[in-house]
Amino acid sequence: MDTTAVKEEEKIACVIGDRSTSDVVVRLRTKEGRDDWLYCHSEILVKNSKFFAERLSESWPTLAIIDSRNCVDVYCQESNFDHHVNLVRLLYVVIDGSVDDLWHGVRNALGIIQVAVELGCQQIVTACVSYLEAVAWEEAEEEEILKIVPQMGLQAEPILARLQPVKHSALVNVFLSAVRFATSSPPPSMNDLKSSVQEQLEYMLTEDDDDSPLVTADDSIKIEVKECVNKLISRFNSSLIALFCGSTESLSEAGNTQLFQSYLTDLLWACQILSKLEIMREFVEYWFDASEKIIRVLEQGSSTTEVIEIKLRAVEVTSKVLEAIGYGVVTLPTVKRLHVLKLWLPFVRVTKPLVDSASMNSESDVLLKIDGDLWQLLESTFVSIILALPSGDQAEVFTEWLENEYIRYPDLTEAFDVWCYRSKVAKRRLSSLGDAHSMINSVP
C-alpha cells in the first residue's frame, strides 16, 4: 500500500472526540470543579506536545480509566479553559504556516500561545508568533501583548518588534521629512493629510506627564526646521506682495482668499514648532517687518465670513509673536515694541467684534475655529508689553485707549492701575535713589 495513502488514512482516523479510536483522555480540570473529558489520540499528543509526550511516556505513571484508556490531567484557570480546548483541537491541525484562519483574532491567539508555551507545543507557538507579528492590534490588545509576550522569551521577540524604541537617527529622518512636508504647499486635497502631519510633529516635540519628547532637537535639526519655515515665509511673502500691489478688493477673490488663509494657518502652526524649539527670533523679526503690509492687505477685503476668518488667523499668528515679545522670549528695542503695539492693537480692537458677530451668525457658511483662550491671552500679552515700555510711551497708549470707542477690548485697566501707581511714586523713588547716590559718593 502507498505510504502516503497510509498516512492519509491515519490522519482521517485521528479525529478529536472520536471515542472509537481514542486511546487517551485529556481531562481538563479547574479549581471551581469543572471537569471536561476530551477523547484524544496519544500519537497526535506525543508528536505535537512535550507535556503530553512526557506524561504518556513509560517513565510517567498514568491513570488508566474506562476502556483501558490512559488519562492525563491538565489543570487550568476558568479564564483560559476555552484556550486549552482550542489548543488541544489545534494539535490535530497541520500547521505549516499556510493556514491563517485558525486563531479567530488577537485575543484568542494570545490565550492559545500562553497555553502552547505551557504545554510545550512549539509548532503552535511558532504559528501564533507569525500570526500576532503580522496582524494589526487595537490599543487594548497592544496593552495585553505587553503584559504577556515579554515573559515568553526569545521565541516571542518578533511580536514585540513593532514596539521597540526607534533609533535616534531613524526618528530624526522621519521628523525632518515630516517638517518638509508640513511646511510645503500641497494641493488643497491634501490639506487633511498635512494637518495630521503637523499635529504629529507637535506631539513628537511635546513632553507629556509620563513621557519625554520623542525628538530632542539639536542644532542640526533646528537649522533644518528654520530653513523649511523660511521657505514657507518666502511663499507667504510673495503672496503678500502680490496682494499688497493688487486691486483694493484682491483679498476677497476666492483663489486669493483660500491661498492666503492656508499660508496663515501654516504659519500659526510653525509658531508652535519654533516656540517648542526655542528659535522664534527670525520669525518674530519677519512678522515685525511685514506687519504694515499684512494689515494693509487684511483691510482691503470686504467683511465676508471668509475674510473675517483670514483676519482671525492673522490675529492668532500675531498673538504668538506678541507673546514671544511680551514675555521676553525674543527681546526687541523699545522703538520696535512700541511700533508693533501701535500697529496691531487697533487692528485687534476692530477685528474682535467682527469675529464675535460672525461666530454668532448661524447663517454663516464658514465655521470660525477659535481658540477659546485667544482673546484673554492676547489681552494679557498687550498688558505685559505696555508695562515694559517707558512711562511716557505708556501715557500715550492710555490716552489713545481712553478716547477710543473700542475701550472694552482689550481691557487695559490692570496696566493703567500700575501706571498710575508708578507715576505717583516716581518722584519719591527717584528722590530716594538720588539721596542714596549722594551718600555713596560722599563716603571717603
Side-chain angles (χ1 to χ4, degrees):
M1 189 175 183
D2 185 8
T3 306
T4 305
V6 172
K7 289 185 177 179
E8 288 297 325
E9 186 178 337
E10 289 177 354
K11 188 187 299 182
I12 294 171
C14 295
V15 177
I16 187 172
D18 185 352
R19 193 165 178 173
S20 64
T21 59
S22 166
D23 63 345
V24 63
V25 168
V26 174
R27 189 179 180 188
L28 298 177
R29 310 181 72 179
T30 69
K31 292 181 180 179
E32 291 76 17
R34 191 169 180 177
D35 188 349
D36 281 17
W37 290 17
L38 300 177
Y39 288 90
C40 301
H41 304 80
S42 58
E43 176 189 353
I44 299 295
L45 300 182
V46 169
K47 178 182 177 182
N48 296 308
S49 166
K50 290 182 180 180
F51 173 85
F52 287 116
E54 185 179 62
R55 295 300 189 277
L56 294 172
S57 67
E58 294 182 359
S59 61
W60 192 276
T62 56
L63 174 66
I65 57 172
I66 56 172
D67 300 330
S68 300
R69 288 182 178 84
N70 289 326
C71 178
V72 178
D73 284 341
V74 178
Y75 293 91
C76 59
Q77 301 292 326
E78 186 67 35
S79 59
N80 64 4
F81 185 91
D82 290 341
H83 297 313
H84 279 75
V85 174
N86 290 333
L87 184 282
V88 175
R89 292 184 183 280
L90 284 171
L91 295 178
Y92 283 75
V93 178
V94 177
I95 302 174
D96 58 4
S98 60
V99 184
D100 298 321
D101 57 352
L102 300 173
W103 314 108
H104 306 293
V106 172
R107 289 184 181 277
N108 195 52
L110 280 171
I112 290 173
I113 195 174
Q114 291 180 86
V115 179
V117 170
E118 178 186 337
L119 300 185
C121 308
Q122 188 56 47
Q123 193 176 15
I124 293 178
V125 171
T126 302
C128 259
V129 168
S130 298
Y131 171 78
L132 290 169
E133 185 274 331
V135 300
W137 310 328
E138 295 179 359
E139 185 174 356
E141 294 169 343
E142 187 168 302
E143 293 297 326
E144 195 168 346
I145 285 170
L146 285 171
K147 291 178 183 177
I148 295 170
V149 173
Q151 303 172 21
M152 297 181 181
L154 294 176
Q155 60 186 343
E157 273 193 357
I159 301 174
L160 300 176
R162 73 180 76 168
L163 301 175
Q164 296 299 322
V166 183
K167 291 182 179 179
H168 179 71
S169 58
L171 281 173
V172 170
N173 289 338
V174 171
F175 180 82
L176 293 180
S177 295
V179 169
R180 294 183 195 109
F181 177 76
T183 53
S184 66
S185 298
S189 59
M190 298 180 68
N191 282 345
D192 288 343
L193 174 58
K194 182 177 69 175
S195 296
S196 177
V197 172
Q198 290 175 344
E199 182 180 340
Q200 292 308 312
L201 281 166
E202 285 191 56
Y203 175 75
M204 292 171 78
L205 293 171
T206 300
E207 182 174 359
D208 301 319
D209 293 337
D210 299 322
D211 300 312
S212 59
L214 189 58
V215 173
T216 303
D218 55 21
D219 289 342
S220 62
I221 291 176
K222 291 180 180 181
I223 290 171
E224 181 75 19
V225 170
K226 284 197 287 187
E227 288 180 359
C228 291
V229 172
N230 286 339
K231 291 177 182 177
L232 171 61
I233 289 174
S234 179
R235 292 194 299 274
F236 170 75
N237 200 52
S238 297
S239 175
L240 177 65
I241 292 172
L243 289 169
F244 184 74
C245 300
S247 65
T248 56
E249 293 299 325
S250 58
L251 182 59
S252 300
E253 296 173 6
N256 289 331
T257 299
Q258 187 178 36
L259 181 62
F260 203 67
Q261 181 176 334
S262 175
Y263 283 140
L264 286 170
T265 301
D266 289 344
L267 289 175
L268 177 61
W269 168 81
C271 284
Q272 301 284 88
I273 298 300
L274 295 174
S275 180
K276 289 180 182 294
L277 296 178
E278 300 179 349
I279 49 175
M280 274 287 286
R281 171 166 286 280
E282 289 184 19
F283 187 92
V284 169
E285 290 176 347
Y286 164 74
W287 199 255
F288 172 82
D289 293 336
S291 284
E292 287 191 56
K293 288 181 182 177
I294 294 170
I295 291 173
R296 286 275 298 276
V297 167
L298 294 173
E299 289 175 342
Q300 287 176 185
S302 58
S303 296
T304 63
T305 305
E306 290 82 358
V307 172
I308 292 173
E309 186 168 17
I310 292 175
K311 292 180 178 181
L312 175 60
R313 296 287 90 82
V315 169
E316 289 178 320
V317 176
T318 302
S319 173
K320 300 299 180 183
V321 171
L322 293 178
E323 186 178 342
I325 296 171
Y327 297 102
V329 175
V330 177
T331 56
L332 294 180
T334 300
V335 174
K336 287 190 174 183
R337 283 183 280 126
L338 182 60
H339 181 64
V340 78
L341 187 70
K342 287 183 176 181
L343 285 174
W344 286 104
L345 186 57
F347 182 83
V348 170
R349 279 178 180 156
V350 176
T351 301
K352 185 179 184 298
L354 293 175
V355 173
D356 292 343
S357 177
S359 300
M360 294 172 61
N361 183 3
S362 59
E363 298 178 359
S364 297
D365 295 328
V366 180
L367 179 63
L368 296 182
K369 300 175 183 178
I370 306 174
D371 181 349
D373 297 326
L374 171 64
W375 302 115
Q376 184 176 349
L377 291 172
L378 197 51
E379 185 175 82
S380 298
T381 303
F382 277 129
V383 169
S384 296
I385 292 175
I386 291 168
L387 289 177
L389 293 172
S391 56
D393 293 328
Q394 291 184 48
E396 183 181 346
V397 172
F398 293 132
T399 300
E400 192 274 337
W401 168 60
L402 292 167
E403 295 176 351
N404 198 288
E405 61 176 307
Y406 297 102
I407 191 172
R408 295 182 63 182
Y409 186 87
D411 184 357
L412 304 181
T413 303
E414 179 186 348
F416 184 55
D417 291 347
V418 173
W419 178 83
C420 288
Y421 172 76
R422 286 176 176 172
S423 299
K424 187 172 184 178
V425 302
K427 289 184 178 180
R428 171 168 53 81
R429 282 178 169 174
L430 289 175
S431 176
S432 299
L433 288 173
D435 293 342
H437 182 67
S438 299
M439 290 176 64
I440 292 171
N441 290 337
S442 65
V443 175

